[in-house]
Amino acid sequence: MSLHHTGAGIDGQKLKSLVDSHAALPGALLPMLHAIQDEFGHVPEQAVPVIARSLNLSRAEVHGVITFYHHFRTHAPGRHVVQVCRAEACQSVGAAALEAHAKKCLGIDFHETTADGAVTLEAVYCLGNCALGPSVRVGDDVIGRVSPERFDDIIAELRAEVAA
Amino acid sequence: MSTRIYVPIDSSALSLGAGRVAKAIADEAARRGIAIELVRNGSRGAFFLEPMVEVQTPAGRMAYGPVQVKDVASLFDAGFISGGGQHGLSLGPADEIPYLKNQERLTSARIGITDPLSLDDYTAHGGYEGLKNALAMSGADVVKEVTDSGLRGRGGAAFPTGIKWNTVLGASADQKYVVCNADEGDSGTFSDRMIMEGDPYVLIEGMTIAGIAVGATQGYIYLRSEYPHAFATLKEAIRRARAAGWLGQDVRGSGKAFELEVRLGAGAYICGEETSLLESLEGKRGIVRFKPPLPALQGLFGKPTVINNVISLASVPIILARGGAWYRDYGMGRSRGTLPFQLTGNIKRGGLVEKAFGLTLNELIYDFGGGTLSGRPVRAVQVGGPLGAYVPASQFDVPLDYEEYAKRQAMIGHGGIVVFDDTVDMSRMARYAMEFCAIESCGKCTPCRIGSTRGVEVIDRIIADEQRGKNIALLQSLCDTMLNGSLCALGGMAPYPVLSALNHFPEDFGISKTEAA
């Protein structure tokens, strides 16, 4: 599926300028990776040698950092990333049932994207909304008290946005 | 004159629609030709009342909640703009809400009261008093004040903050750092987030005091990436503090420098461990370091580093403003001061409850919390995050004190209280504790990396009733290895929820109390 092809539509010049503008920071690698993922939605494979050269690291070291952190992804996600909290406070109010429902209604497992490219489903371990679980994050927004029905509404809204 | 209306911008309030409510109020006021000034405050922390709207009146701030968009027109009809109490959502004066009134708010005193980004509001409510005092003192005296306050690390380890600072003060180096651990990863906690979103200057002030006390000129806040709103608020607060001279090369004309920057983590629980955090800040994988050397002597980039949790640093300004002895008057035993507890999970009235140490889970869960959200009996409470023990009802009267909890193989940690009702299966929670450890292990030491995966497998066999007796003995032995052989608290404490579940709730593992012992 073309959506998942790493490197499609990556502006090499933009990439280089993001790398250059962060290179002088002390401990530059994480801010640099954030900037790249914010721009492209993921950290594309061709970024690795560019970063490595810039920071005088081996490609293995850069790869090691990218894959260590759950936040960084190496493939393009769907148009919306939906994170479902799996942590204890949300479990105490039905997160396990919500997780099962989410996977069933989207027809995908965690770290997968729906066939229409609308939604990537991710697990998350605490969104800091523990008095109002079960919690879900869509983009930068946290949503509390998410019942399976509410989840369906959220997905329907996201799909409508994609269609519009 | 326009009426001032407060609608919280805290993430939890937003998660229930506070953003839409704020817009609806602005629109409705415009439609009716009523002049209002909309302030987006932090949350006071009574999350069961969110979105809680407050109206400034001559008689004080009147509260309404939980407000939904559909309620807005009727609130205007009922005259809420003048503080009218005729609406069904009227809560009366905000300060008189028992949940809030019965707290002892020192660290979180301003959250929900002020406009988070207004420096004028901050200073009008006692902000920067502590730094002003600190600037007139020697570094050693500032450290002594913090030591005298009895403040201990609020991130979980409860190490005396003043002693840590003193080590950095005594170290000589061309550069020292102050690092704030804002990687609040524990489930059942959000007090750091509430500070950063609702009163960011108190953290900035606390870090500035730390820097000036120990001679560090650069600070970093390492913030978890799950908190995008806190990131935006902190960046803007730092910008404004710098513009007003509270940060920079010459802090308020003192001749002392302190610069501050916020950095984002990337979704790794282990980076809440201080040495992993430092590795991550340096741009590496978040792998735990051996100690010694202590971070206080060789921390960030190998330099002496104060590294403290958000709540520890945010407690410093009031200590410097009122004095260590004043702060020390709160609390019990060796647990001095207050802790912002977070009442979460299956709880009717969840939220932030700051109280002096020494209160009990009974008071928190029933007096403040009103029991479970489901209305079913409370069965277990996990205190102190995913590495904290499950506490049974028989221990709900134990005072919340670091030493009292340690005696019972439990911990207070960062003050997260997660309530479970009687539908919980504790063998599943034990399995989850091991699973979480396996997902989040940095992989450096074997007991944590391998032990957690083996732990999941052993618990699966116990649940499936495969040689249950033998596998329980194996699980206990595995936990013993992890407890004693792990490099840091992740592998070293993940056995606490497992063993407490097994010891207090053996029936969920298919065995009797005597078999578990």
Side-chain angles (χ1 to χ4, degrees):
Chain A
M1 204 164 113
S2 65
L3 190 70
H4 293 270
H5 278 171
T6 277
I10 299 299
D11 175 347
Q13 239 161 7
K14 182 74 200 166
L15 175 68
K16 184 75 170 61
S17 82
L18 287 172
V19 169
D20 289 346
S21 63
H22 288 84
L25 284 177
L29 187 47
L30 261 71
M32 193 181 278
L33 291 171
H34 274 295
I36 292 169
Q37 181 154 310
D38 288 349
E39 176 69 27
F40 301 113
H42 66 294
V43 181
E45 205 178 306
Q46 68 257 45
V48 175
V50 181
I51 297 168
R53 253 193 313 278
S54 162
L55 297 179
N56 196 24
L57 296 170
S58 70
R59 281 182 293 167
E61 284 169 306
V62 176
H63 176 81
V65 170
I66 294 169
T67 52
F68 181 87
Y69 295 96
H70 301 306
H71 178 82
F72 297 124
R73 61 180 95 241
T74 50
H75 295 277
R79 286 179 287 271
H80 298 282
V81 176
V82 174
Q83 295 180 312
V84 177
C85 181
R86 288 194 72 217
E88 290 91 338
C90 284
Q91 286 186 47
S92 76
V93 284
L98 178 65
E99 174 186 331
H101 175 82
K103 289 177 179 172
K104 188 161 166 255
C105 98
L106 294 171
I108 51 174
D109 205 341
F110 283 135
H111 317 303
E112 293 180 357
T113 302
T114 53
D116 63 354
V119 174
T120 297
L121 189 66
E122 298 283 357
V124 68
Y125 298 88
C126 196
L127 294 164
N129 195 36
C130 316
L132 300 173
S135 298
V136 163
R137 176 176 166 184
V138 180
D140 279 353
D141 295 323
V142 175
I143 307 164
R145 295 279 189 243
V146 181
S147 60
E149 299 73 45
R150 181 91 178 84
F151 186 85
D152 292 343
D153 292 345
I154 295 165
I155 298 299
E157 278 172 40
L158 293 180
R159 286 216 155 109
E161 256 177 64
V162 168
Chain B
M1 208 182 117
S2 64
T3 305
R4 188 177 291 174
I5 297 182
Y6 295 85
V7 184
I9 198 164
D10 172 277
S11 288
S12 277
L14 294 176
S15 85
L16 294 181
R20 291 189 297 276
V21 169
K23 183 174 183 308
I25 289 175
D27 291 349
E28 189 68 23
R31 196 171 304 129
R32 295 179 186 230
I34 298 171
I36 63 164
E37 180 198 349
L38 195 61
V39 176
R40 304 303 302 273
N41 55 334
S43 170
R44 293 197 189 226
F47 287 136
F48 57 102
L49 298 175
E50 293 291 358
M52 187 171 99
V53 175
E54 294 174 55
V55 179
Q56 183 78 57
T57 75
R61 281 160 68 161
M62 298 296 164
Y64 303 82
V67 176
Q68 292 300 317
V69 170
K70 64 178 168 52
D71 304 316
V72 168
S74 69
L75 279 167
F76 276 87
D77 290 342
F80 95 124
I81 216 86
S82 51
Q86 298 310 308
H87 196 278
L89 296 177
S90 172
L91 300 165
D95 293 334
E96 297 298 320
I97 295 169
Y99 193 88
L100 301 172
K101 194 181 182 186
N102 296 332
Q103 300 194 26
E104 292 161 296
R105 291 219 164 172
L106 307 186
T107 306
S108 61
R110 271 175 301 266
I111 305 182
I113 312 271
T114 54
D115 176 346
L117 286 171
S118 165
L119 269 168
D120 289 342
D121 228 3
Y122 182 65
T123 48
H125 286 82
Y128 278 124
E129 296 292 329
L131 178 59
K132 282 182 204 157
N133 290 344
L135 285 171
M137 296 160 71
S138 72
D141 284 342
V142 174
V143 172
K144 185 172 181 305
E145 206 63 44
V146 173
T147 307
D148 288 348
S149 75
L151 178 67
R152 292 164 69 180
R154 300 295 191 233
F159 187 82
T161 304
I163 292 180
K164 213 181 235 187
W165 287 22
N166 201 44
T167 307
V168 180
L169 175 69
S172 61
D174 55 345
Q175 176 70 56
K176 299 179 188 179
Y177 295 102
V178 177
V179 173
C180 172
N181 183 343
D183 194 57
E184 184 176 50
D186 288 358
S187 174
T189 66
F190 43 71
S191 59
D192 293 354
R193 179 182 62 67
M194 288 183 68
I195 288 277
M196 294 183 286
E197 292 179 354
D199 193 20
Y201 295 118
V202 78
L203 174 59
I204 295 171
E205 182 183 355
M207 292 185 74
T208 310
I209 293 170
I212 281 165
V214 304
T217 53
Q218 176 69 48
Y220 290 100
I221 299 170
Y222 183 89
L223 175 70
R224 66 197 300 252
S225 56
E226 288 84 350
Y227 287 174
H229 297 303
F231 185 53
T233 304
L234 283 171
K235 276 195 299 189
E236 177 60 15
I238 289 169
R239 191 190 67 76
R240 293 190 191 192
R242 186 176 291 123
W246 290 109
L247 288 171
Q249 286 306 305
D250 181 16
V251 175
R252 290 300 253 196
S254 65
K256 290 171 178 152
F258 190 69
E259 296 282 1
L260 185 55
E261 190 183 332
V262 52
R263 289 282 179 93
L264 271 189
Y269 179 75
I270 192 60
C271 290
E273 198 283 333
E274 61 181 12
T275 62
S276 302
L277 187 157
L278 294 173
E279 288 287 300
S280 185
L281 257 186
E282 292 181 7
K284 305 172 191 161
R285 293 183 294 151
I287 304 280
V288 173
R289 294 178 183 170
F290 288 105
K291 286 194 281 195
L294 295 172
L297 296 172
Q298 289 178 45
L300 186 62
F301 303 115
K303 302 294 183 184
T305 302
V306 166
I307 176 163
N308 286 132
N309 168 256
V310 172
I311 299 294
S312 311
L313 289 162
S315 298
V316 166
I318 200 164
I319 289 169
L320 267 294
R322 306 283 189 93
W326 176 85
Y327 187 81
R328 200 186 171 83
D329 268 353
Y330 292 86
M332 69 171 279
R334 288 173 51 217
S335 305
R336 309 313 311 178
T338 58
L339 186 67
F341 293 97
Q342 299 120 92
L343 207 42
T344 77
N346 196 329
I347 187 88
K348 192 185 282 175
R349 297 195 293 262
L352 187 81
V353 179
E354 182 171 351
K355 287 288 278 182
F357 288 96
L359 84 167
T360 66
L361 282 183
N362 273 327
E363 292 171 75
L364 278 172
I365 298 165
Y366 297 107
D367 298 352
F368 281 96
T372 61
L373 181 68
S374 61
R376 302 183 65 93
V378 177
R379 181 144 185 259
V381 175
Q382 189 175 31
V383 182
L387 310 178
Y390 285 99
V391 178
S394 61
Q395 294 181 3
F396 287 178
D397 57 351
V398 174
L400 284 152
D401 164 274
Y402 291 126
E403 278 66 40
E404 288 295 323
Y405 262 62
K407 269 188 227 165
R408 291 166 178 80
Q409 280 77 52
M411 66 152 176
I412 292 176
H414 187 50
I417 311 282
V418 183
V419 178
F420 292 82
D421 73 9
D422 62 351
T423 61
V424 67
D425 178 343
M426 295 306 296
S427 66
R428 290 276 154 200
M429 299 318 296
R431 184 189 190 280
Y432 174 81
M434 285 292 193
E435 184 194 1
F436 181 71
C437 183
I439 294 168
E440 298 296 338
S441 174
C442 82
K444 182 159 180 165
C445 75
T446 315
C448 176
R449 183 183 69 246
I450 309 286
S452 52
T453 296
R454 293 289 95 86
V456 172
E457 294 164 0
V458 173
I459 295 171
D460 277 342
R461 288 200 287 273
I462 293 168
I463 291 171
D465 198 13
E466 286 173 35
Q467 296 186 294
R468 193 169 265 158
K470 266 188 165 174
N471 277 308
I472 284 182
L474 185 60
L475 178 62
Q476 287 164 329
S477 166
L478 175 68
C479 283
D480 185 58
T481 302
M482 289 175 71
L483 275 168
N484 293 298
S486 298
L487 194 54
C488 82
L490 179 53
M493 293 177 71
Y496 282 135
V498 177
L499 291 173
S500 57
L502 182 62
N503 293 335
H504 298 308
F505 307 94
E507 61 276 18
D508 287 14
F509 296 78
I511 57 170
S512 66
K513 279 248 188 259
T514 45
E515 286 172 289

